[in-house]
């Protein structure tokens, strides 16, 4: 065991002395030392209850004969950091999380790891750390928030509150209505209640096989979540005894299973960034083209908020992720032979409920024959762009409009809320990519403003930034190469025609090549205000969105 580097032999007497100052007994020195890596904090709604989850995990570890040691990571709430400078720190926090865990568990070598994430970048950051360290590992999230209920009985999530800002600006709702949303949209702790990025990634951790069944969908406030945490603590000791490591689970087959589930549940477009980065850490070859190919043959079986009024708690009630995987397996779209942290995938889905036919549609009658996410390419995105196809109205699948160009998110939001965007236009927000943002901020504010102003059926948006999982509509993100790296999006001018053709996987600037060449000859990418500190360093070494925005090696 790695902990022997601290506990065994005369040369480790000083180490044991330090451990005894923590209360470790002589008998515990011979037991497995288990790290409990917890993202608990007092001002992230998805993490406020993670101390309780951590306690249950530690109880489970002790039940199974291990010795738990808990430490904590940072975690950004994308909702609280949205639409201000703080959002530039969200995606970069993923790398900090992975690096800090590597530091802690190399400096103090323990034997196995239980990871407790919940919100957006913490899940992928921890999965990256698990792959990098390759110690026996298992995940248990804090679980999703329950949906809110307004006075009129309507169920809502956080996405509706962001859209309410646009409705309020347009005079469609008043003070009473927006106050009702503020008071009732987020009724419990947990990751926000729709199929946004946090819940998407927790579902995919389960689909990859790194978490027990129920991890992605069991509500945060249910005691079943606490029992799941305890069972996870017990399971890590068995994984250690059996020497099952992330490299045994985070294989190409398991990653393909995750992509299949991603497409079937219509998950957040951010998942593509994260799956690429996780695969890179795991040494698995997964490309944007691979994801695009799977997206064209995996049907979308679920349509959850923000694409509908169905929430994560509803998906859980009808069987959750294992039931989705069971349904996909009926067309051999899931590899059932793969290993997970509990048993093979074939054994896991034996316990799963069959598709209910409504929230999880049968594979013969999906919401659509293709997946919830699509990859677009063309002269405007030579390396690729991503759209949440499952949250896009059918009449917007093919859209051509005149560009309205903005060099920052805030300029675009001001124009949208100021009534300066009209039907038939394509809002272009650039210099918001991994380098240019820096940090590739989420664009929930502009997409919600478009929806709130009643323009989501007639206005599209493209950006080299990214979108919240709560975004919906004709929103194309991750445009690569980004403007700051010399991408064509930096040459678009007001009035240029842009074609978005989702069925053809195409994103095109409809301008003659000679004109593009002339513009490029006199073009120098803009440089934003000088960002110092961590994000300034991050901007210098981050790669393109089409590689997962990983850091240069």
């Amino acid at each position: 065991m790695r902990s022997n580097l601290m506990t065994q032999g005369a040369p480790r007497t000083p180490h044991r002395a330090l451990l005894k100052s923590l209360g470790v007994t002589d008998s515990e020195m011979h037991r497995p030392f288990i790290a409990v890596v917890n993202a608990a904090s007092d001002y992230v709604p998805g993490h406020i209850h993670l101390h309780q989850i951590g306690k249950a995990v530690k109880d489970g570890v002790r039940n199974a004969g291990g010795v738990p040691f808990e430490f904590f990571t940072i975690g950004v709430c994308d909702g609280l950091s949205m639409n201000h400078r703080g959002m530039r720190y969200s995606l970069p926090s993923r790398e900090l999380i992975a690096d800090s865990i590597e530091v802690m568990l190399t400096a103090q070598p323990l034997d196995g790891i239980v990871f407790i994430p919940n919100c957006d970048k913490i899940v992928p950051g921890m999965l990256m750390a698990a792959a990098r360290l390759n110690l026996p590992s298992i995940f248990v999230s804090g679980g999703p928030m329950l949906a809110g209920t307004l006075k009129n009985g309507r169920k809502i999530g956080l996405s509706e509150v962001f859209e309410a800002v646009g409705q309020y600006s347009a005079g469609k709702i008043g003070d009473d209505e927006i106050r009702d949303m503020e008071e009732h949209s987020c009724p419990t702790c947990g990751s926000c209640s729709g199929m946004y990025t946090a819940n998407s990634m927790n579902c995919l951790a389960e689909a990859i096989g790194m978490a027990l069944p129920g991890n992605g969908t069991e509500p945060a406030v249910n005691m079943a979540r606490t029992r799941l945490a305890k069972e996870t603590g017990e399971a890590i000791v068995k994984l250690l005894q059996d020497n099952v490591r992330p490299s045994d689970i985070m294989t190409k087959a398991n990653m393909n299973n995750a992509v299949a589930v991603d497409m079937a549940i219509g998950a957040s477009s951010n998942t593509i960034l994260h799956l690429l980065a996780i695969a890179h850490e795991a040494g698995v070859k997964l490309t944007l083209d691979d994801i695009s190919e799977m997206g064209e043959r995996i049907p979308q079986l679920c349509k959850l908020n923000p694409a509908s009024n169905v929430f994560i708690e509803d998906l859980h009630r009808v069987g959750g992720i294992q039931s989705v995987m069971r349904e996909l397996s009926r067309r051999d779209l899931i590899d059932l032979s793969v290993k997970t942290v509990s048993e093979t995938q074939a054994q896991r889905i034996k316990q799963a409920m069959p598709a209910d036919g409504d929230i999880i549609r049968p594979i013969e009658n999906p919401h659509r024959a293709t997946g919830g996410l699509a990859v677009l390419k063309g002269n405007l995105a030579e390396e690729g762009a991503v759209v949440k196809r499952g949250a896009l109205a059918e009449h917007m699948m093919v859209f051509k409009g005149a560009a309205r160009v903005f060099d920052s998110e805030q300029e675009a939001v001001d124009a949208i809320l100021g009534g300066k965007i009209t039907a038939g236009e394509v809002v272009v927000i650039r210099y918001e990519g991994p380098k240019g943002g820096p940090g590739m901020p989420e664009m929930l504010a502009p997409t919600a403003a478009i929806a709130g102003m009643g323009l989501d059926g007639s206005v599209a948006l493209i950006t080299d930034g990214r979108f919240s999982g709560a975004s919906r509509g004709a929103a194309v993100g991750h445009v690569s190469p980004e403007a700051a790296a010399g991408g064509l999006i930096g040459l678009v001018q007001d009035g240029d025609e842009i074609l978005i053709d989702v069925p053809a996987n195409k994103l095109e600037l409809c301008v003659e090549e000679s004109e593009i060449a002339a513009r490029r000859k006199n073009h120098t990418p803009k440089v934003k205000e000088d960002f110092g500190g961590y994000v300034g360093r991050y901007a210098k070494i981050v790669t393109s969105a089409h590689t997962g925005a990983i850091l240069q090696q």
Side-chain angles (χ1 to χ4, degrees):
M1 294 192 297
R2 289 175 82 249
S3 60
N4 289 350
L5 294 171
M6 299 185 296
T7 62
Q8 303 303 308
R12 303 307 184 205
T13 301
H15 304 69
R16 289 193 297 274
L18 288 168
L19 290 168
K20 286 185 175 181
S21 77
L22 300 176
V24 178
T25 67
D26 285 332
S27 66
E28 288 176 325
M29 296 287 183
H30 300 280
R31 299 177 193 172
F33 279 14
I34 304 298
V36 178
V37 185
N38 197 334
S41 73
D42 285 349
Y43 67 105
V44 177
H47 295 183
I48 188 70
H49 63 305
L50 294 189
H51 293 288
Q52 176 187 342
I53 298 295
K55 180 183 182 302
V57 166
K58 289 186 286 185
D59 288 344
V61 170
R62 291 192 181 96
N63 287 347
V67 184
F69 294 86
E70 187 175 23
F71 68 91
F72 300 89
T73 69
I74 62 169
V76 172
C77 173
D78 279 16
L80 292 174
S81 63
M82 194 69 67
N83 195 221
H84 60 80
R85 183 184 177 96
M87 177 44 72
R88 306 191 186 285
Y89 287 78
S90 175
L91 183 60
S93 73
R94 187 186 70 184
E95 269 57 35
L96 272 182
I97 290 163
D99 289 350
S100 65
I101 294 168
E102 175 193 351
V103 168
M104 285 292 287
L105 291 178
T106 305
Q108 291 91 211
L110 305 187
D111 304 309
I113 316 170
V114 179
F115 291 94
I116 308 176
N118 214 26
C119 291
D120 297 19
K121 310 308 166 292
I122 299 93
V123 191
M126 287 184 174
L127 282 165
M128 291 163 68
R132 188 184 303 175
L133 291 164
N134 202 31
L135 295 170
S137 299
I138 190 169
F139 281 67
V140 59
S141 76
M145 180 185 292
L146 296 181
T149 304
L150 299 181
K151 291 176 182 177
N152 63 10
R154 176 189 169 205
K155 288 175 67 175
I156 66 164
L158 187 65
S159 63
E160 285 85 354
V161 187
F162 272 96
E163 291 177 10
V165 175
Q167 294 168 341
Y168 186 80
S169 298
K172 296 180 179 180
I173 62 173
D175 291 341
D176 290 344
E177 290 92 342
I178 202 167
R179 176 72 174 178
D180 188 17
M181 287 188 168
E182 179 183 328
E183 288 292 325
H184 299 111
S185 61
C186 298
T188 72
C189 62
S191 46
C192 295
S193 56
M195 188 55 79
Y196 313 151
T197 304
N199 288 326
S200 296
M201 286 307 305
N202 286 322
C203 288
L204 296 190
E206 181 180 336
I208 290 170
M210 289 297 293
L212 295 176
N215 176 74
T217 57
E218 182 70 63
V221 294
N222 288 357
M223 286 309 295
R225 172 64 58 178
T226 302
R227 295 197 302 273
L228 182 66
K230 193 175 292 187
E231 291 163 356
T232 299
E234 293 170 346
I236 186 59
V237 178
K238 187 174 190 309
L239 287 169
L240 178 59
Q241 291 167 347
D242 295 342
N243 196 29
V244 177
R245 297 172 182 264
S247 57
D248 299 314
I249 298 173
M250 297 168 75
T251 63
K252 182 61 181 288
N254 291 70
M255 295 301 295
N256 283 346
N257 281 355
V259 174
V261 170
D262 201 5
M263 295 299 172
I265 62 177
S268 165
S269 57
N270 281 314
T271 56
I272 291 185
L273 279 175
H274 301 323
L275 286 173
L276 291 169
I278 293 161
H280 174 78
E281 286 287 356
V284 171
K285 186 179 180 184
L286 181 70
T287 68
L288 199 57
D289 288 339
D290 295 331
I291 293 172
S292 180
E293 183 275 327
M294 290 189 71
E296 296 311 303
R297 61 183 176 85
I298 305 293
Q300 184 178 353
L301 305 182
C302 305
K303 202 163 192 176
L304 292 101
N305 182 269
S308 76
N309 63 350
V310 178
F311 292 84
I312 299 294
E313 64 195 71
D314 302 315
L315 177 60
H316 181 71
R317 190 179 66 253
V318 298
I321 294 305
Q322 296 306 310
S323 290
V324 172
M325 298 182 82
R326 172 177 169 160
E327 192 60 24
L328 289 172
S329 74
R330 293 181 54 234
R331 288 275 176 87
D332 296 323
L333 297 174
I334 291 290
D335 188 331
L336 297 179
S337 69
V338 298
K339 190 179 288 188
T340 75
V341 290
S342 52
E343 49 200 348
T344 67
Q345 188 57 53
Q347 292 167 317
R348 278 161 67 125
I349 65 166
K350 280 183 181 178
Q351 313 301 319
M353 297 163 58
D356 71 306
D358 180 20
I359 293 171
I360 304 174
R361 285 202 177 178
I363 205 156
E364 297 84 2
N365 181 35
H367 285 282
R368 59 184 316 106
T370 53
L373 298 171
V375 176
L376 311 183
K377 287 192 174 183
N379 67 350
L380 198 48
E382 292 179 353
E383 295 170 341
V386 178
V387 62
K388 191 171 182 176
R389 177 165 46 192
L392 178 58
E394 285 298 323
H395 74 276
M396 294 292 287
M397 288 287 177
V398 179
F399 185 84
K400 182 183 277 190
R404 289 293 306 279
V405 182
F406 302 93
D407 287 346
S408 74
E409 175 192 10
Q410 192 57 52
E411 291 172 17
V413 171
D414 291 343
I416 296 164
L417 294 179
K420 298 177 181 177
I421 302 299
T422 59
E425 293 184 322
V426 179
V427 175
V428 178
I429 305 177
R430 61 194 182 191
Y431 294 102
E432 296 287 17
K435 288 183 179 296
M440 203 179 182
E442 288 185 346
M443 301 289 150
L444 177 55
T447 59
I450 287 170
M453 298 289 285
L455 295 169
D456 53 308
S458 60
V459 167
L461 187 154
I462 70 168
T463 180
D464 51 10
R466 59 194 178 91
F467 295 111
S468 163
S471 291
R472 62 183 178 92
V476 181
H478 306 197
V479 171
S480 302
E482 61 176 293
L488 185 58
I489 190 172
L491 301 178
V492 180
Q493 296 180 1
D494 280 345
D496 288 348
E497 278 203 325
I498 292 174
L499 171 65
I500 301 169
D501 188 340
V502 177
N505 299 96
K506 185 180 292 186
L507 181 63
E508 291 281 341
L509 176 64
C510 303
V511 172
E512 293 292 333
E513 283 295 328
S514 57
E515 172 62 17
I516 291 173
R519 292 182 192 180
R520 196 177 293 281
K521 191 176 296 184
N522 300 310
H523 175 71
T524 301
K526 292 185 178 181
V527 178
K528 283 190 175 179
E529 63 176 292
D530 183 28
F531 280 81
Y534 174 59
V535 290
R537 298 195 302 275
Y538 175 89
K540 290 180 173 64
I541 59 174
V542 69
T543 63
S544 168
H546 85 284
T547 64
I550 60 174
L551 300 184
Q552 294 175 19
Q553 301 302 300

